[in-house]
Amino acid sequence: MAAGPPPPLEPSPLPTFPEEGFAEKFLRKTRENPLVPLGCLCTISILVYGVICFKKGDSRRSQLMMRARVIAQGCTFAALLGGMVATAIKSR
């Protein structure tokens, strides 16, 4: 039973958008997964507010904001992974 060599593993070609600039790509990606940019904005705003509280000397609120930032980052990462899984399932 001599089987031939296995077929070459070639990934399916990715869709290309030749005339797509940064703004168009950003808008397309935002429409595909709107929770990621929203999570990024939330994380950045919590971070900025935490730094402001730290500069003012409110260590309790600053510590609370840094913990909230970690939670917001986790939610953003979960949204990113969820979007990747949804895109992979949709492409099949």
Side-chain angles (χ1 to χ4, degrees):
M1 285 194 238
L9 297 174
E10 295 181 21
S12 60
L14 296 174
T16 57
F17 304 93
E19 297 180 14
E20 185 178 48
F22 176 77
E24 292 86 11
K25 183 176 181 179
F26 180 77
L27 290 174
R28 179 176 55 83
K29 293 286 188 177
T30 300
R31 280 189 220 106
E32 288 175 3
N33 195 358
L35 293 178
V36 173
L38 183 65
C40 289
L41 287 174
C42 185
T43 301
I44 289 171
S45 43
I46 290 172
L47 175 66
V48 168
Y49 184 64
V51 169
I52 290 170
C53 290
F54 180 75
K55 285 185 97 173
K56 287 182 178 179
D58 189 359
S59 62
R60 180 173 163 82
R61 182 156 304 194
S62 174
Q63 193 62 235
L64 181 68
M65 289 297 108
M66 291 304 115
R67 291 178 184 157
R69 177 193 55 86
V70 171
I71 292 170
Q73 278 181 305
C75 291
T76 303
F77 186 70
L80 179 67
L81 286 179
M84 288 172 55
V85 169
T87 302
I89 291 173
K90 187 171 67 171
S91 68
R92 288 185 179 190

